[in-house]
C-alpha cells in the first residue's frame, strides 16, 4: 500500500491506458497521468496515492 506522497506507476499494453486511468481514479488516486513511450504509444499510467 502506498502512503504519504507515494506514487504508483503501471506499465500498460496497447489500448489499456484509459481503462487503467479510470481504475486508478475510481480507487481514489489523484493526479493520474498517462505517459507515452519513444514511439508515441501510451505506455505508463501513474497516480498519486490516495490521502487517508
Amino acid at each position: 500500500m502506498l502512503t504519504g506522497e507515494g506514487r504508483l506507476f503501471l506499465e500498460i499494453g496497447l489500448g489499456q491506458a484509459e481503462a487503467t486511468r479510470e481504475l486508478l481514479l475510481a480507487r481514489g488516486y489523484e493526479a493520474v497521468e498517462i505517459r507515452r513511450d519513444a514511439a508515441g504509444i501510451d505506455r505508463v499510467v501513474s497516480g498519486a496515492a490516495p490521502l487517508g
Side-chain angles (χ1 to χ4, degrees), residues 1-8 23-32 46-52:
M1 176 177 277
L2 295 176
T3 60
E5 295 181 26
R7 194 158 181 87
L8 178 67
L23 181 65
L24 290 181
L25 290 171
R27 299 292 191 273
Y29 282 81
E30 300 175 352
V32 176
S46 65
L51 299 176

Side-chain angles (χ1 to χ4, degrees), residues 7-25:
R7 194 158 181 87
L8 178 67
F9 290 84
L10 299 169
E11 183 175 7
I12 56 167
L14 187 63
Q16 297 176 331
E18 283 304 318
T20 305
R21 178 184 172 277
E22 292 300 320
L23 181 65
L24 290 181
L25 290 171

